[in-house]
Amino acid sequence: MRRVAVLGGGGMGTATAMVLARSGADARLWVREPDRARVMAETRRNERHLPGVEIPEAIRITGDPAEAMEGADVIVAAIPTSYLRATLAPLAPSAPAGVPALSVVKGIEFGTFARPTQIIAEALGPRETAVLTGPSHAEELARGMPASLVVAGPSVELCEAAQASFSHATFRLYRNADAVGAEVAGALKNILGIAAGVCDGLEIGDNAKAALLTRGLVEIARMGVRLGGRIETFYGLAGVGDVVTTCFSPFGRNREVGRRVGRGEALADILADMANVSEGVPTIRSVHALAEKLGVEMPITDELHRVLFEGKPPRVAVVDLMTRAPKDEAEL
């Protein structure tokens, strides 16, 4: 895995290319807008998504997908879930057949409920896939700060190759065969990021926030197990690890959305004001529909859906969660 094609010129795509380049990989970064690709290549900056970060000269930045994927040993997808299928499908003729793909995307497709690795294989053609996930803000990855992630997929060989190729002094990879659990955890933790932000915006205190996130972890694990994931995955890097960064870091886009909602701002105004995509917003819509379809109890997700899309006041939603019927904590 020495030649890597990273598809997606946002913050995570840029940061991922930088991380992989530090491992010695020949990283090529595809940026969808040719003019923006040219500016990034000339200035070695991605000011829209990673202001102040210099992109190493060793990373080739291009607006041509064929150039990015030519001779690639692995393809890395770094495009928000809402745009993933539509963006990748036209690139299929340029994608080398059989070359494995890694996903750093965290979300679930609305309507189909497809996970990113499934979308990648459907859009680019059949290939082995795995997901790179865990506590990994692009802002820190780009600056070379230490991070530990999990690479999860059904192919032991692919996960081991990713470990061997990309691990280095500031980037550690663990293996996990549970791709379903890892991807579901990576998507659903964004729901908790918004919930954490609502708590911060309402200024209801650390006790309430801690309780909400603890019960929220139970809730997303419940859905993950129902979809075929392992409960242990939700208490590892893909679950608890990512929940911690998402819910407490100042870089958390989903937490910022929730914070502003908690302070009374309209969701449409918040999203229009953001340079980066908040995956948690469409994820709440998708997971709410999926939970209803499967009969999975997800009270926090339900209340967030009412707040974001049905006009329910955030403070009323918190009260309604606090006054639900008592239950045994050990119930999954």
Side-chain angles (χ1 to χ4, degrees):
M1 290 189 178
R2 303 322 304 160
R3 179 168 291 180
V4 182
V6 180
L7 306 181
M12 183 54 72
T14 304
T16 299
M18 294 174 69
V19 167
L20 302 184
R22 291 187 195 108
S23 72
D26 174 10
R28 302 180 181 185
L29 178 64
W30 174 70
V31 180
R32 184 172 60 87
E33 306 96 329
D35 288 344
R36 185 163 162 261
R38 177 182 52 77
V39 170
M40 286 175 58
E42 291 174 355
T43 65
R44 313 310 297 180
R45 293 284 191 277
N46 186 345
E47 290 298 334
R48 182 190 302 178
H49 299 290
L50 290 173
V53 173
E54 183 175 353
I55 303 172
E57 292 286 346
I59 296 173
R60 185 185 303 182
I61 302 171
T62 177
D64 180 355
E67 179 184 356
M69 290 188 280
E70 182 182 6
D73 299 314
V74 63
I75 297 168
V76 179
I79 300 160
T81 311
S82 299
Y83 311 106
L84 184 60
R85 189 182 299 274
T87 303
L88 290 185
L91 308 187
S94 300
V99 169
L102 301 176
S103 168
V104 294
V105 185
K106 298 177 180 178
I108 293 178
E109 189 174 49
F110 183 70
T112 69
F113 310 119
R115 293 176 282 111
T117 55
Q118 294 174 312
I119 297 170
I120 292 166
E122 291 169 5
L124 292 183
R127 62 194 64 241
E128 289 186 342
T129 60
V131 56
L132 282 176
T133 188
S136 50
H137 283 308
E139 292 82 358
E140 294 187 0
L141 292 179
R143 290 172 170 81
M145 300 174 76
S148 292
L149 279 72
V150 60
V151 54
S155 169
V156 174
E157 292 79 9
L158 176 56
C159 292
E160 288 181 341
Q163 273 188 308
S165 299
F166 303 136
S167 296
H168 54 267
T170 60
F171 190 70
R172 179 175 176 82
L173 286 176
Y174 290 84
R175 287 192 312 277
N176 190 333
D178 182 20
V180 174
E183 282 195 285
V184 172
L188 271 58
K189 60 89 186 178
N190 288 326
I191 296 175
L192 302 189
I194 293 178
V198 171
C199 291
D200 294 339
L202 291 172
E203 298 182 349
I204 58 176
D206 294 337
N207 294 339
K209 181 177 177 179
L212 186 71
L213 298 183
T214 302
R215 294 308 304 170
L217 185 60
V218 172
E219 180 172 309
I220 67 173
R222 184 186 299 133
M223 174 59 84
V225 171
R226 176 67 174 79
L227 293 174
R230 296 201 311 252
I231 186 68
E232 296 87 355
T233 301
F234 289 83
Y235 298 98
L237 288 168
V240 171
D242 217 356
V243 166
V244 171
T245 54
T246 298
C247 295
F248 292 93
S249 171
F251 296 126
R253 296 189 296 275
N254 296 289
R255 189 184 76 84
E256 179 62 11
V257 168
R259 187 186 68 83
R260 293 175 65 176
V261 166
R263 294 177 65 177
E265 295 185 51
L267 179 62
D269 294 338
I270 297 168
L271 298 181
D273 191 40
M274 297 182 70
N276 293 299
V277 173
S278 169
E279 287 272 29
V281 174
T283 297
I284 288 172
R285 193 190 293 272
S286 296
V287 173
H288 175 72
L290 184 59
E292 287 190 336
K293 178 181 178 181
L294 298 179
V296 177
E297 184 184 15
M298 300 190 74
I300 294 171
T301 301
D302 291 345
E303 290 296 339
L304 284 172
H305 189 274
R306 294 183 184 109
V307 169
L308 295 185
F309 304 114
E310 301 172 29
K312 186 171 186 176
R315 197 172 294 275
V316 175
V318 171
V319 171
D320 286 348
L321 285 171
M322 293 294 290
T323 55
R324 293 177 69 243
K327 63 183 297 184
D328 190 321
E329 186 189 24
E331 293 181 30
L332 179 60

